[in-house]
Amino acid sequence: MADLDKSRQAVLARIAVALSAAGRQPDACQLLAVSKTFPAEAVRQCYATGQRAFGENYVQELQEKVVALADLADIEWHFIGPLQSNKSRTVAELAHWVHGIDRLKIAERLSAQRPANLPLLNVCVQVNVSGEASKSGCTPAEAVALAQAVAGLPRLRLRGLMCLPEPGAVDLAAQFALLRSLSDTLRSTGLALDTLSMGMSADLETAIAQGSTLVRVGTALFGARHTVAAPAPVKE
Ligand SMILES: *Cc1c(COP(=O)(O)O)cnc(C)c1O
């Protein structure tokens, strides 16, 4: 607990310094705690330090943590991984946000499957800003048309754009700037976007300098991830 409090304060301090260096308001960038592979108990401890927004990449893991932490009424779940069509219903029912919308078909399914008694599902369109063939996300050329189509779906609320640049790329700032400029273009067509989901543990300063409003941070909060999910705690 002491450690998570310390690591979270350190990340919040990095965000504050980066915002100030960019001449931006102190509350202009939120922290999303990426808890994938860490047990529900780690999320509970992080929540106890004041954190509310958590990011998960795997549908089954999201489901398990939502159940285990159902008593934390104001926790906010962000699904940030690639989403297969056959798992979209679970995410539509459990998540508050989905960051990786990269094709219209998945957005249409989420909209159709979002329960009527829940608020609209917040979504970001993911753009492949690095051009790597292996990366998910629509191309920059597709982004405007996709975002406009997603914005028209009844049970979704398009909040903005998300990217996952090539780690350590020499033109990292340019990749973030590309997402920012696509967002500006979309806003000029009348869409009310408020989110640029970009920046992680290693590059959040660069992302904030380019306008990030939400950094997704795992390692700097929870420590290094193992390749397999961490074992469940023996007891609460
Ligand atoms: C895992 C992950 C993160 C967090 O990365 P860290 O380097 O651990 O901060 C952020 N965004 C996405 C999409 C991820 O999959």
Side-chain angles (χ1 to χ4, degrees):
M1 167 75 95
D3 278 354
L4 260 175
D5 195 23
K6 222 164 141 182
S7 60
R8 179 166 175 272
Q9 291 307 323
V11 171
L12 291 174
R14 284 175 63 190
I15 293 171
V17 168
L19 283 169
S20 159
R24 302 177 59 200
Q25 295 297 314
D27 62 352
C29 183
Q30 305 300 308
L31 170 61
L32 177 66
V34 177
S35 43
K36 64 182 177 205
T37 79
F38 289 94
E41 192 53 27
V43 176
R44 187 180 291 282
Q45 289 179 10
C46 193
Y47 177 96
T49 72
Q51 183 65 31
R52 291 296 176 268
F54 292 88
E56 290 289 336
N57 286 54
Y58 309 104
V59 175
Q60 193 189 330
E61 206 185 327
L62 170 71
Q63 197 165 19
E64 287 167 8
K65 287 179 195 171
V66 167
V67 171
L69 303 170
D71 57 310
L72 307 180
D74 60 349
I75 197 167
E76 189 177 274
W77 292 108
H78 293 233
F79 189 78
I80 63 173
L83 182 54
Q84 294 163 345
S85 295
N86 63 353
K87 303 218 171 123
S88 63
R89 182 176 298 278
T90 306
V91 171
E93 291 175 354
L94 298 180
H96 301 89
W97 284 70
V98 177
H99 290 233
I101 302 293
D102 59 358
R103 56 200 193 280
L104 188 57
K105 184 180 160 221
I106 199 80
E108 287 171 341
R109 285 181 70 95
L110 288 167
S111 182
Q113 293 167 340
R114 180 68 169 174
N117 63 318
L118 294 181
L120 301 184
L121 180 61
N122 298 293
V123 298
C124 293
V125 163
Q126 182 174 357
V127 184
N128 181 350
V129 290
S130 67
E132 293 167 280
S134 61
K135 276 285 163 63
S136 43
C138 69
T139 67
E142 293 164 340
V144 170
L146 176 58
Q148 286 172 333
V150 169
L153 293 171
R155 298 291 298 145
L156 303 186
R157 180 173 169 207
L158 179 66
R159 298 294 294 266
L161 303 178
M162 177 268 211
C163 71
L164 192 58
E166 190 178 356
V170 288
D171 64 340
L172 196 58
Q175 295 186 26
F176 289 135
L178 173 57
L179 200 72
R180 164 78 184 264
S181 97
L182 286 168
S183 166
D184 291 345
T185 301
L186 279 164
R187 285 210 279 219
S188 74
T189 73
L191 291 180
L193 306 183
D194 61 9
T195 302
L196 270 180
S197 168
M198 59 188 199
M200 315 197 295
S201 294
D203 56 18
L204 67 88
E205 285 84 0
T206 308
I208 288 171
Q210 298 301 328
S212 172
T213 69
L214 183 148
V215 290
R216 309 177 308 266
V217 176
T219 309
L221 280 173
F222 294 103
R225 285 180 293 276
H226 303 283
T227 44
V228 293
V234 176
K235 63 187 180 93
E236 296 253 324

